[in-house]
Amino acid sequence: MQPNKVPVGVLGATGIVGQRFLQMLERHPWFEVAWLAASERSEGRAYAEAVRWRLKTPIPSRAAALPVSSANPDGAPKIIFAALDASIAAELEPRFAAAGHAVISNSSALRMQRDVPLVIPEVNAEHLKVLECQSWRRQSGGFVVTNPNCSAIGLVLALAPLEQHFGLEKVMAVTMQAVSGAGYPGVASLDILGNVIPYIAKEEEKMEEETRKLLGQVRDGHIELAGFAMSAQCNRVAVEDGHTESVSVKLKKKAGGEEIIEAWQQFRAVPQELRLPSAPERPVEYLPSSDRPQPRFDVDRGAGMTACVGRLRPCGVLEWKFTVISHNTIRGAAGAALLNAELLKAQGYLD
Ligand code: NAP
């Protein structure tokens, strides 16, 4: 361990999101991976043997040699990044929090729980105040903070500047989601090649409720959901990384196209002010070309942490429509959790 770095653990380290965590943490200036855990299938093996590494950079050498530990809190570092299936997270995340760990989670299991903050640091950093009422925190010092579903993140980054400047009345979003969003091995090739699947289990419900929690307000120790109407339709498409969304909005206050683009381009928030290590210079970038953004060319902007918006034009049903894309395993998962951890550290929650 480097003495100036904080040890962290990764739960679900062998999965698609777990691998992104290890990749993003390899040269992190504040955190160092000291512990890894996955299922019983992987337990006891060296990480390099247990994992089916699916990323384009090599396995980080330090992590490769670490043993995969059993997924329980004994001996685990205080800070845990969690990338578990929701059903397993529902059992393990509370157990780690009750044992005094700070659990920074990707899973949907606890996202909508009243006392669990669901955070995108550029959008609702102030929702961390809810932690004061979290029972685990009062009892053991441990807590759970979550980041949203991978399609809600890109959408909400694009919506937040519009909500701030003009207010939102109605939102409709249709997604085209990458196969890496389904974990590994994910959707069978015979199901997805040359095809579009118009159903992703529970995804539409998650997008609709999480969007309104993220843009809601803290009242009396919990989050009051934002009041706009929201409808989502989710599709799986044969793209490797990057969720694309076609969005229509009705705003409360009339706005011109130039004003909307200006709101996106000027959008900066707490992570940029604090210069958090994983914060992109521009959380939202408007691309003026008529055929962008596209996942193949734009998904890696801002090291995968920038949501790219384009094709703003009038909508004949609502008022304006546009396209947004974001990287589902970076901004939509591991990068989101890492930025949450950096915000928590900068605000003293990890001391
Ligand atoms: P994944 O590739 O299927 O990985 C699942 C991980 O959980 C593996 O490390 C697996 O270990 C581990 N695991 C399974 N059963 C376990 C158990 N009983 N105890 C401990 N560990 C267990 O899934 P993923 O795509 O990385 O997603 C992980 C979570 O992040 C999910 O909740 C998902 O919804 C969420 N998420 C994913 C994305 C995305 O774009 N992929 C985006 C946002 C959020 P073994 O290898 O040992 O089986």
Side-chain angles (χ1 to χ4, degrees), residues 95-119:
R95 200 187 296 164
F96 275 76
H101 298 263
V103 179
I104 298 151
S105 164
N106 262 284
S107 148
S108 60
L110 303 173
R111 278 180 202 148
M112 293 304 293
Q113 191 167 303
R114 223 172 127 83
D115 59 356
V116 173
L118 173 65
V119 175

Side-chain angles (χ1 to χ4, degrees), residues 12 14-17 38-39 41-42 83-84 88 106 180-181 183-184 328-329 332-333:
T14 49
I16 288 281
V17 176
S39 75
R41 179 190 72 78
S42 310
L84 298 165
I88 298 148
N106 262 284
S180 60
Y184 188 81
N328 52 294
T329 63

